[in-house]
Amino acid sequence: MSIPLKTLAPTHQMGMILTDCFFEAPLDHARPAEEKIALYGRAVRDDAPASASKPWLVFLQGGPGFAAPRPLSHSGWLKRALRDYQVLLFDTRGNGRSTPVLQQTLMAPTDDKARAADLKHFVADAMFNDFELNRAQV
């Protein structure tokens, strides 16, 4: 991931260390110097000192319109994943704490063609490019 624009202080919870991170990405990857959006991820690792050197596993929410889960306990699939990885629970663009797509932002353009042009930046291709942009830094 690219170096976060902002990283909040880590918190310790139930045998895990949680760190909220905000990253920057271009709204349109074809025009990287233009408008930027914020992407949010919660980094999770177990509280063993060696866990900071484990490789990353990125979790993507399975359906559109929802944020990644916010772990409340060191259990289930996350407990198993943390044996081998640090986990990034990523809110894809338009969801959760990443730059959202809201009714108010969709209504800003006055015509349907302009609205469609805005929405094309919130599809899977753009999300994939977000991960690729940031992957080399993790």
Side-chain angles (χ1 to χ4, degrees):
M1 306 306 292
S2 65
I3 296 171
L5 291 176
K6 180 179 179 183
T7 301
L8 303 182
T11 59
H12 296 259
Q13 176 178 316
M14 308 279 290
M16 301 178 293
I17 298 174
L18 311 172
T19 306
D20 291 350
C21 306
F22 292 88
F23 304 89
E24 183 178 80
L27 174 64
D28 182 350
H29 283 278
R31 297 184 176 136
E34 294 183 8
E35 186 177 352
K36 306 289 186 194
I37 61 171
L39 301 173
Y40 170 81
R42 175 166 286 166
V44 183
R45 63 184 177 93
D46 65 36
D47 59 5
S51 68
S53 63
K54 291 179 182 176
W56 287 94
L57 173 72
V58 177
F59 178 89
L60 303 175
Q61 178 65 29
F66 297 99
R70 307 296 190 251
L72 300 175
S73 66
H74 193 227
S75 62
W77 74 268
L78 185 59
K79 180 178 181 178
R80 173 59 189 97
L82 292 175
R83 286 185 208 155
D84 300 316
Y85 301 98
Q86 299 178 73
V87 177
L88 182 64
L89 302 166
F90 200 78
D91 288 355
T92 55
R93 54 176 58 209
N95 297 299
R97 294 179 70 186
S98 291
T99 297
V101 174
L102 303 169
Q103 180 179 359
Q104 296 87 336
T105 58
L106 287 176
M107 297 312 292
T110 56
D111 64 90
D112 290 339
K113 188 173 183 178
R115 286 187 191 111
D118 283 353
L119 277 177
K120 78 176 183 178
H121 301 299
F122 291 86
V123 296
D125 293 8
M127 294 171 200
F128 175 81
N129 288 332
D130 293 340
F131 306 129
E132 285 300 306
L133 175 70
N134 293 302
R135 179 173 57 100
Q137 298 299 324
V138 171

